[in-house]
């Protein structure tokens, strides 16, 4: 590289929202450094069992790899995840008889269920703890995103020496490539702010010369339902934003009855001791405020796609959107794994509408919806709320997602009074608006590609399942029997044809040449045949 050559912006191409699936393929006895096929030979003194796990990222089988894990590794993972309070059903430990074939098979089934419980849970599957266990190549044990972020923040403070770090806020959010620091202005040491550093994500396409001024637009946004940004900029490998520290926390903090303190996010949000769902009037008010903010951003040309309860600040009776910078920095949506399964949810507005359905569900019932679509609702769900959720989250609804304007006109939110004290403001220059438009289209394109891959794999799986179904097997057996029943008739015709010369003295027991794999015998000369006849 030349001395004055400009470095290209670095981004993380790996999508951390891609769901990892696991299958335990086999169990292996390990003795010393040798791995052998499972055998129940206790007298050989085999040391322990290794379980061979096939891990796959996304729907394609070629994106898979093998890892070997002992039971003690599974137990350590279970211990690390117990902070979330979720019962993962780890098979119990057994000291004697743990090398017996029946026990190994039973334990393997139990460990498979254990892994399924982890990978099907939205928050657990996204955690760095699980990623390090299943994908040590891309998430090595030495990976420390907080320390790397601190280095970037320190470089920023060299050029902007107005703030200083009080302490890092570790594990407060599910994005492990997004780090938070409690900071303070040097001239106002009692004031507390939060600085967030984010590495560029896989959807980052905006050029640096446009990204810096786009980030600097964030502090200029004035809207009662968007949380204000004090300062924002981007650097070589990521971006940062500074906001006022709000002690009560987000909407998810309110629902889970917790605060944005130093507690690990799994402990706060996975299975809190008590949920505090919002009453219907509060759901209507908060929902209307969020929709107003979304419509404002869409009208101005700023795409979002980051809506979930953790990105909504709740100040008394006012909801305000957070993390507007995530989209321009290339971070995938929280619900992207679900979105890849919904081929009709393709635009960023549709992503926001679908995410809003999840938000309303969480406000109403406390817990998060753990599936891409809604299968059933509690019987005591109010009819108005039921109708709204079914219009967005059911299997049929996701085939034709309404717009934000449609949601504002729905009976659940249309009559909610909204007071805007000042005229909202966001002025985006035409050049930057074009850059945002291209970034939005690139994000939508990658989503469509992933949706196409998922649908193709799903169609192939359905075709294979149909081919292997009992009904199809019966049809194939019936067809085979029909062919077999017709085969003797054809053989009999061939048999009679091949034995027509028997009247000339050839014995009827002579084997037809077509019915044997041996070479056809040379027929005897005619005089010999006449001699035989006379005899």
């Amino acid at each position: 590289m030349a001395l004055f050559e400009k470095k290209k912006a670095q981004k993380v191409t790996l999508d951390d929202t891609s769901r990892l699936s696991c299958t335990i393929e086999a169990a292996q006895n390990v003795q010393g450094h040798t791995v052998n096929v499972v055998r129940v030979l206790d007298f050989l003194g085999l040391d322990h069992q290794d379980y061979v796990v096939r891990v796959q990222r996304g729907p394609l089988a070629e994106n898979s790899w093998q890892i070997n894990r002992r039971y003690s590794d599974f137990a350590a993972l279970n211990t690390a995840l117990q902070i979330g309070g979720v019962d993962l059903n780890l098979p119990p430990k057994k000291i004697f008889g743990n090398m017996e074939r029946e026990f190994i098979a039973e334990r393997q089934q139990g460990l498979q269920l254990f892994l399924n419980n982890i990978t099907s849970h939205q928050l657990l599957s996204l955690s760095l703890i699980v990623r390090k266990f299943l994908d040590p190549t891309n998430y090595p044990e030495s990976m420390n995103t907080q320390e790397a972020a601190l280095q970037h923040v320190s470089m920023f403070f060299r050029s902007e020496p107005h703030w200083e770090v009080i302490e890092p806020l570790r594990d407060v959010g599910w994005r492990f490539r997004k780090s938070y620091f409690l900071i303070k202005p040097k001239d106002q040491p009692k004031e507390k702010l939060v600085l967030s550093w984010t590495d560029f994500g896989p959807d980052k396409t905006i050029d640096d010369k446009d990204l810096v001024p786009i980030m600097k637009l964030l502090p200029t946004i004035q809207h009662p339902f968007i949380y204000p940004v004090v300062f924002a900029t981007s650097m070589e490998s990521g971006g940062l934003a500074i906001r006022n520290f709000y002690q009560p926390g987000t909407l998810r903090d309110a629902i889970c009855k917790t605060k944005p303190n130093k507690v690990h996010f799994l402990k706060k949000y996975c299975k809190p001791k008590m949920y505090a769902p919002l009453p219907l009037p509060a759901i209507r008010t908060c929902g209307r405020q969020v929709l107003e903010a979304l419509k404002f951003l869409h009208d101005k040309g700023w795409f979002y796609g980051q809506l979930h309860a953790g990105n909504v600040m709740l100040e008394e009776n006012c909801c305000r959107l957070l993390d507007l910078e995530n989209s321009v920095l290339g971070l995938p949506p929280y619900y992207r794994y679900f979105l890849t399964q919904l081929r009709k949810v393709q635009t960023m507005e549709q992503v926001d509408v679908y995410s809003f359905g999840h938000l309303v569900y969480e406000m109403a019932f406390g817990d998060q919806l753990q599936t891409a679509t809604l299968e059933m609702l509690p019987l005591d769900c109010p009819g108005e709320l039921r109708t709204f959720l079914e219009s967005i989250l059911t299997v049929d609804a996701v085939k034709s997602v309404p717009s934000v304007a449609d949601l504002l006109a729905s009976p659940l939110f249309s009559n909610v009074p909204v007071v805007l004290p000042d005229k909202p403001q966001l002025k985006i220059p035409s050049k930057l608006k074009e850059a945002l438009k291209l970034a939005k289209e690139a994000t939508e394109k990658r989503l469509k590609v992933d949706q196409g891959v998922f649908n193709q794999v799903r169609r192939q799986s359905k075709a294979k399942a149909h081919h292997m179904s009992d009904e199809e097997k019966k049809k194939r057996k019936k067809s085979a029997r029909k062919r077999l029943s017709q085969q003797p008739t054809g053989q009999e015709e061939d048999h009679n044809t091949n034995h027509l010369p028997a009247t000339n003295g050839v014995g009827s027991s002579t084997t037809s040449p077509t019915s044997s794999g041996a070479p056809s015998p040379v027929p005897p000369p005619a005089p010999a045949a006449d001699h035989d006849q006379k005899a």
Side-chain angles (χ1 to χ4, degrees), residues 5-141:
E5 183 179 347
K6 185 179 179 180
K7 293 183 179 180
K8 293 183 179 180
Q10 304 171 2
K11 72 174 184 179
V12 178
T13 57
L14 184 65
D15 191 339
D16 297 322
T17 65
S18 295
R19 188 68 64 92
L20 300 180
S21 57
C22 311
T23 303
I24 302 180
E25 296 182 327
Q28 298 176 331
N29 285 337
V30 179
Q31 182 181 21
H33 298 286
T34 304
V35 179
N36 303 308
V37 180
V38 174
R39 295 175 182 174
V40 186
L41 299 174
D42 290 341
F43 59 86
L44 291 179
L46 298 177
D47 291 340
H48 63 267
Q49 285 288 328
D50 259 4
Y51 295 90
V52 182
V53 183
R54 171 70 61 178
V55 185
Q56 179 174 315
R57 177 183 291 105
L60 295 178
E62 54 260 34
N63 295 331
S64 65
W65 58 93
Q66 280 186 344
I67 58 174
N68 285 15
R69 293 290 183 265
R70 300 176 57 175
Y71 175 81
S72 59
D73 298 324
F74 289 96
L77 175 64
N78 182 66
T79 301
L81 294 179
Q82 283 305 300
I83 190 174
V86 180
D87 187 6
L88 301 173
N89 295 315
L90 177 73
K93 185 177 181 179
K94 186 177 182 181
I95 299 177
F96 300 105
N98 56 9
M99 301 299 289
E100 297 175 356
R101 185 182 296 275
E102 293 77 9
F103 173 76
I104 293 172
E106 182 181 351
R107 172 176 276 184
Q108 180 172 328
Q109 293 178 357
L111 291 175
Q112 183 66 62
L113 176 62
F114 170 74
L115 290 176
N116 293 345
N117 291 336
I118 294 173
T119 56
S120 62
H121 193 284
Q122 178 73 353
L123 282 176
L124 292 179
S125 64
L126 293 172
S127 68
L128 185 57
I129 299 173
V130 173
R131 300 275 160 163
K132 287 183 176 182
F133 181 86
L134 296 177
D135 189 2
T137 301
N138 290 301
Y139 307 95
E141 195 61 37

Side-chain angles (χ1 to χ4, degrees), residues 298-450:
H298 295 165
D299 292 344
K300 293 296 183 179
W302 191 289
F303 67 105
Y304 187 47
Q306 307 293 324
L307 182 60
H308 60 86
N311 275 351
V312 178
M313 193 69 79
L314 181 61
E315 294 182 304
E316 296 182 355
N317 295 323
C318 183
C319 284
R320 300 174 130 187
L321 291 189
L322 284 168
D323 290 359
L324 271 63
E325 69 274 12
N326 283 4
S327 54
V328 297
L329 295 177
L331 303 189
Y334 177 66
Y335 297 110
R336 196 177 193 281
Y337 169 69
F338 294 156
L339 293 168
T340 57
Q341 305 173 43
L342 311 173
R343 61 188 181 92
K344 294 296 184 179
V345 184
Q346 297 183 335
T347 67
M348 294 310 295
E349 181 178 2
Q350 291 173 336
V351 170
D352 286 334
V353 169
Y354 173 77
S355 303
F356 182 76
H358 277 266
L359 176 68
V360 174
Y361 181 94
E362 190 171 349
M363 287 192 292
F365 306 110
D367 197 5
Q368 299 183 51
L369 182 62
Q370 297 290 336
T371 54
T373 55
L374 182 65
E375 297 180 359
M376 60 181 299
L377 287 167
L379 296 176
D380 58 349
C381 179
E384 200 174 22
L385 181 61
R386 178 185 296 273
T387 301
F388 178 81
L389 290 173
E390 290 177 346
S391 70
I392 298 179
L393 296 177
T394 60
V395 174
D396 293 331
V398 295
K399 297 177 181 178
S400 180
V401 180
S403 65
V404 172
D406 294 333
L407 300 186
L408 284 168
S410 66
L412 190 62
F413 300 109
S414 60
N415 297 324
V416 178
V418 176
V419 179
L420 301 177
D422 299 314
K423 185 179 180 180
Q425 293 185 8
L426 172 57
K427 295 181 180 180
I428 305 177
S430 57
K431 180 183 178 182
L432 299 183
K433 188 173 291 187
E434 181 65 20
L436 288 170
K437 178 183 176 182
L438 294 176
K440 169 180 170 292
E441 291 174 350
T443 302
E444 293 171 346
K445 181 179 179 180
R446 191 173 79 91
L447 176 60
K448 291 177 184 178
V449 170
D450 289 350

Side-chain angles (χ1 to χ4, degrees), residues 487-502:
Q487 187 174 355
T489 304
Q491 287 181 349
E492 185 177 351
E493 291 175 356
D494 293 341
H495 181 78
N496 293 334
T497 303
N498 293 330
H499 288 76
L500 285 175

